[in-house]
Amino acid sequence: MTEPTHKKQFSLRTAVMLPFIAVLLVTLSIVFYTQNNSYEKLVGDVSEKVLASYTQNTHADLNIFLNAPNFAVKSMVNQIQRYQMYHPNDTKQLQQFLKDSLEGIYTGLEQMDVLSFGGEKKEYIGFRREPNASLSLMLQDKRTNDDLIIYRGSEMSDNIRTVIANYDPRSRPWYKPAATTFKPSWSKIYTNADEKKEITISTMHPVFYDEDFIGVFAADVKLDSFNKFLSQETKHTKGVIYLIDDQQRLIAHSSVGSVLSIGTQNSPVGSRLFAVESCDETIQQSATYIKNNQLINNKNNDAEVFSFYYKGERYFSQITPYIDGNNLNWYIVISISESDLLGHLQEEQRRGLFFGIVLAAIGLIVGVYLVTQVTKPIFTTANAARNIASGNWNNNVEAQGSIYETTLLMNAFNDMTNKLQSSFDAMRQQITFDSLTQVLSRQGLIEQCRIMLDKKEHYEQGLLVIGINNFRDINDSFGILEGDQLLKNISDRLQCSFAHDNIAIARVGGDEFALFFSKLDDVEQLKQYARDMEGCFMTPFRVASNNSLLSISTGLVYGDLSCDSMTLWLRNASIALGQAKKNNLNMSLYTPEMAEASLHKANMTAELSLAIKNKELVPFYQPIIDIKSGKTIGAEALIRWLSPQRGMVSPLDFIPLAEENGMIIPMGSQVLTQACLDTVERIDQGLWPADFHMHVNLSVCQLTQNNFLDELKAVLHNTSMAPENLTLEITESRLVNHDNSTINTMQKIRDLGVQIAIDDFGTGYSSLAYIHKLPFDVLKVDRSFIKDLTAENIDSSIAAAVCNMTQGFDITLVAEGIETQEQAKLLASLNYHHAQGFLYSRPIPLEDWPTE
Ligand code: C2E
Ligand code: CA
Ligand code: CA
């Protein structure tokens, strides 16, 4: 079976689905990419704008938040100076002024917690706002005996909260810088000296009467108020806002909790936290980023935008310096998470993408399902076709699916398969059975015997091939119809006698039957079967209303078929059958030598036919001697095969074969022509006498040819050979079945003037009795009668008998195979005329023939 090709193969489904999936993936990734890109751009834009606007708002609000107390202080100091409200050691007027201010125009200025005045004479007057918006008076002058007393309420009373002794306002952080620089400014962040110990920052202003410095006026802004303020900022905006100083300590933040660490027993007020220590994680993370990237104290004092990831969320941040003319150097930091910034946009976008992917997946599954529906029947059909190609016929496919074209395809395929199968079956029937006799055909036997071999148990097998002798004659005499009827009768008898599972009956040739036995124990069993089979032919067959007995020959093969093929066995049986016919035997068991001989014969035949074409067959010549004079009176042409492969081959090795297959005819004619040419040439050259006798051997096959006489005449004519110079030798033994036409031809040859010699006389059936019937001129007595000739046995020898018998005939007696001088003498004494033998010369090529 041929595989489609060696190129890479895709299944139909892949071929359809692959581009589909590729387009889907590309689309998805493009959508994902553009969406992501535009989202990023959006986030960048929005975050920048939002952060900038937050910062701006915060900046502005912070300005207001801080400037308001600033202005308030400035305006109050103005009034104090103008109306000279302060009198050393008497703060009564100031007290009223401050109280009125806080309860009056500055009620709304909530971030302003405390208003204080510290005089050069160590006196102090201040008001503090309490959480319930009431005021607490804080006073130190001669009325309080120079102690700082903090009252409950805004008037001096017995209701005292705290008394702080030895309080010196002049050493406080809200006093000292103004007393040294004489300029208004913001204080450092410090802890209040009262019992609340709050962290605060003050805006302070020096107070002068004309040119004289008399004290410092200050307003406190509690950092707590900052926190409140910042958390109000983020109410609408989300995210965190915090303020840090250049130490990166927290000043305030929008989240809950303190900007101080938890106090200890020794110092109940904790220290200020660094931003990175904040309990708000967002602040902590952004402060860490700021710290690591040294975003504080950068030279250009610009706003810096940055973002960081924390717990899988992105935070957009901005740090902006906040610088106040009154020496504040702070930073506003804003951090806002992506989800706060854009709400659910990202989530929605992800959800959209997710739905897109889910939709694509569903589309893909549906696509695969549909493609499978379409391709499955095609695939099934293709598979079935492939199975059929490899010889498996049971492959009807079930029409599946609801697609018109594929159902059509599968139905058509089934029809085709069924039709193919039935014609295939019919063909097999024709091939495996003989249509005339209904037994197995030759091919059928070859296939059947394989099935019959028992794989489990070991048995030997046997084959009989039965040839009907002279069946052709029956066909010729009674007609083909009678012949066919006879063959049917024979097969009926065989089927009757050999109906068994272990026996197969076949007709393997026109007039040949075969019996195959699959389970045999020994060769004797096969021979017994052969004899049984012969029994079938013992009773006559009815042919053309006659009873006729048939003669058969049988070739037997025995052995283990599993090591051979039936084809070989049939050939071997045929060789054995041929052997039986040749040797006139009833049966012959095949032996390997038979095959060798037949193989050798086949090779020889092929080579010999080439040899004739290539003129490799040449005559050697052996002289014939006149016994009395010892002179050469003639020669015998003896054929030699000068084969390039085999060297010189003796005629004994190929003449019988050539006679069998008819090659002797062209071969003989070649020798005859050559011998005539050589004789004429030699006589013309004067090397041989004019009456030289050239003997040429003639096979009976040549003699019985229809046109032999014409051919002989043509050769004589073409070579200008005188008929008197030619003697044709015919072997006596081959003339046994002589009929009149042969004898006629022999006579006609003699009539031409050519002589006839009877060769090898004495070896054949022919008795001396009928020798007189043959027309001949020369009698050549066979070498076997000369061989053992001695002086003692000469009188009783056949050589002598032949001599006596032919005494009265006008014939020439030739003795063959003379090897010794003694034999020559004895034959001379018997009055033999001519002699031939190694004593005189072996057969030699013409070139070696002596010229003298
Ligand atoms: P043949 O016609 O009887 O030839 C004589 C054979 O005896 C020759 O063998 C020859 O070499 C051999 N011979 C001759 N003198 C002696 C001897 O003193 N001692 C012994 N042992 N043998 C001797 P060769 O040449 O092998 O021929 C064998 C046979 O082949 C011939 O027997 C003949 O029947 C046949 N033959 C040879 N050439 C032809 C031919 O051209 N045509 C035909 N049809 N048959 C031929
Ligand atoms: Ca001869
Ligand atoms: Ca001879």
Side-chain angles (χ1 to χ4, degrees), residues 636 697 729 731 759-761 780-783 816 836:
E636 182 181 0
N697 293 287
E729 297 188 2
T731 305
D759 204 356
D760 300 344
F761 184 72
K780 293 184 84 172
V781 176
D782 191 64
R783 189 170 78 233
E816 288 189 313
Q836 201 182 338

Side-chain angles (χ1 to χ4, degrees), residues 96-137:
Q96 197 55 47
F97 173 64
L98 291 183
K99 188 180 172 241
D100 291 348
S101 298
L102 276 176
E103 286 177 346
I105 51 168
Y106 300 124
T107 327
L109 210 62
E110 281 173 18
Q111 71 267 41
M112 199 160 70
D113 279 285
V114 177
L115 281 181
S116 316
F117 176 82
E120 264 289 277
K121 300 278 187 285
K122 205 185 158 190
E123 60 273 67
Y124 172 81
I125 169 86
F127 280 97
R128 190 175 81 191
R129 277 195 223 267
E130 296 302 330
N132 60 3
S134 68
L135 296 179
S136 296
L137 172 66

